[in-house]
Amino acid sequence: WLDGMITGALPREGRVSLAYFCNESGGVVTEMTLTRLSQNRFWLIGPAAGYWHDRDWLQQHMPDDGSVVLEDVTARFGTLVLAGPLSRDILAMVAEQDLSNENLPWLGAAPITIGMARGLVLRVNYVGELGYELHLPMESMRLEKGYRGWKQDLSSEYSPLTSGVDRFVRLNKADFIGREALLRQSQEGVSQRFVVMELAHGDGTQAPYGSPVFAGHEPVGLVTSGGFGHRTGKSIAFGYVNVSHAAEGSVLLIDIFGEKRQATVVSEVIYDPKNVRLRA
């Protein structure tokens, strides 16, 4: 399917190539970087400005027989670019893998481990020098700071008042799109609230998106993000729960693949709540 979508050849396993997508009249629709992770698994990277456009183009041309699965991981991964004559030396100081030219040649791809973060390194960049693209999970460090992820923790299903970002809402402004709805919600109150939960100490299980949250046997919410807090050494989960169970200290249960794990609602910002590190 993918081969029929692009004008050129698919890369070999562990390799990267630039691909162009055309419409029926032969015009360029978009370009993407394709990385072949395994025989039938690919990592597609497109320009940030073309996110919606490219996603729609792929979805519109998906086969109807279910033979191809398209997973959007945009909100889950961030990209860091390290480029320059000394980029290999610098990256080798923190990465566990062999980054030699023999092991990771130009247009090569490989898993990479930097500290506690595991991701993907591509020997490619947009600078025209020796360099690397590092694609790492956004969950690596953001959870301890209470940083929400767009399209995971923030979506049109939840208002800013429900999402706990009230401080960015000024209802005394003359007007803005959504003001009346938020004003009404402010007066009536919200039924659910964004919370940060820590799993019991020593439980390294990570709660995936959509995990149900219970108070006893009663379902009270859902997890929107989960991961390991590298600064705290604990597993952290974000989610929305009924306001009656959203108070700090509330003990809840998260159903992780059929097994209920104890979790406690904690302060929204676990690490450096006064932003001392950010201001340093």
Side-chain angles (χ1 to χ4, degrees):
W1 171 77
L2 186 57
D3 190 39
M5 289 287 291
I6 64 173
T7 61
L10 293 173
R12 303 190 310 276
E13 188 171 333
R15 300 290 290 170
V16 182
S17 68
L18 190 61
Y20 288 89
F21 294 69
C22 286
N23 56 25
E24 293 294 338
S25 62
V28 174
V29 174
T30 190
E31 71 168 9
M32 294 187 195
T33 300
L34 307 186
T35 302
R36 195 170 202 151
L37 302 177
S38 60
Q39 179 61 28
N40 291 310
R41 188 163 172 257
F42 294 84
W43 182 270
L44 279 60
I45 305 169
Y51 166 69
W52 294 102
H53 170 274
D54 290 354
R55 192 191 68 169
D56 289 350
W57 182 258
L58 293 171
Q59 288 180 336
Q60 289 167 9
H61 292 84
M62 288 284 286
D64 297 327
D65 59 6
S67 59
V68 176
V69 176
L70 178 65
E71 182 182 5
D72 182 1
V73 298
T74 305
R76 287 165 43 195
F77 284 84
T79 302
L80 300 174
V81 176
L82 177 63
L86 299 179
S87 57
R88 179 184 287 116
D89 298 334
I90 293 171
L91 190 56
M93 293 170 64
V94 294
E96 295 182 8
Q97 286 72 19
D98 177 6
L99 301 172
S100 65
N101 201 46
E102 293 74 25
N103 191 60
L104 186 62
W106 184 53
L107 298 181
I112 191 168
T113 303
I114 302 175
M116 297 293 289
R118 295 176 177 86
L120 178 70
V121 57
L122 308 183
R123 177 79 185 279
V124 66
N125 65 80
Y126 204 51
V127 178
E129 250 286 3
L130 172 65
Y132 305 86
E133 279 188 7
L134 303 172
H135 298 271
L136 303 169
M138 300 255 286
E139 294 86 352
S140 295
M141 295 294 188
R142 73 178 176 93
L143 296 176
E144 298 99 324
K145 293 293 291 180
Y147 292 162
R148 283 83 159 150
W150 180 65
K151 283 301 179 186
Q152 282 184 266
D153 312 306
L154 300 173
S155 77
S156 57
E157 296 179 45
Y158 304 107
S159 77
L161 307 186
T162 306
S163 302
V165 291
D166 316 45
R167 60 189 181 279
F168 298 103
V169 178
R170 294 189 177 183
L171 293 174
N172 58 352
K173 284 177 57 176
D175 195 21
F176 59 86
I177 297 175
R179 179 180 180 275
E180 292 304 315
L182 292 179
L183 190 60
R184 187 165 55 251
Q185 190 177 76
S186 175
Q187 295 167 349
E188 297 174 355
V190 297
S191 60
Q192 287 196 316
R193 188 77 178 179
F194 174 88
V195 295
V196 177
M197 298 167 281
E198 273 188 354
L199 273 69
H201 183 68
D203 191 339
T205 308
Q206 297 183 19
Y209 176 89
S211 298
V213 181
F214 293 84
H217 297 289
E218 177 191 3
V220 296
L222 288 173
V223 167
T224 52
S225 288
F228 186 75
H230 301 291
R231 295 184 178 98
T232 64
K234 295 182 180 180
S235 184
I236 302 170
F238 289 175
Y240 288 85
V241 300
N242 296 346
V243 290
S244 55
H245 299 284
E248 191 172 331
S250 297
V251 178
L252 302 168
L253 297 171
I254 301 177
D255 189 326
I256 303 176
F257 300 119
E259 185 175 346
K260 290 182 179 178
R261 306 274 186 157
Q262 182 175 310
T264 304
V265 177
V266 296
S267 171
E268 181 181 308
V269 183
I270 304 171
Y271 176 78
D272 188 24
K274 295 184 178 180
N275 289 330
V276 174
R277 298 294 302 164
L278 288 173
R279 303 172 193 273

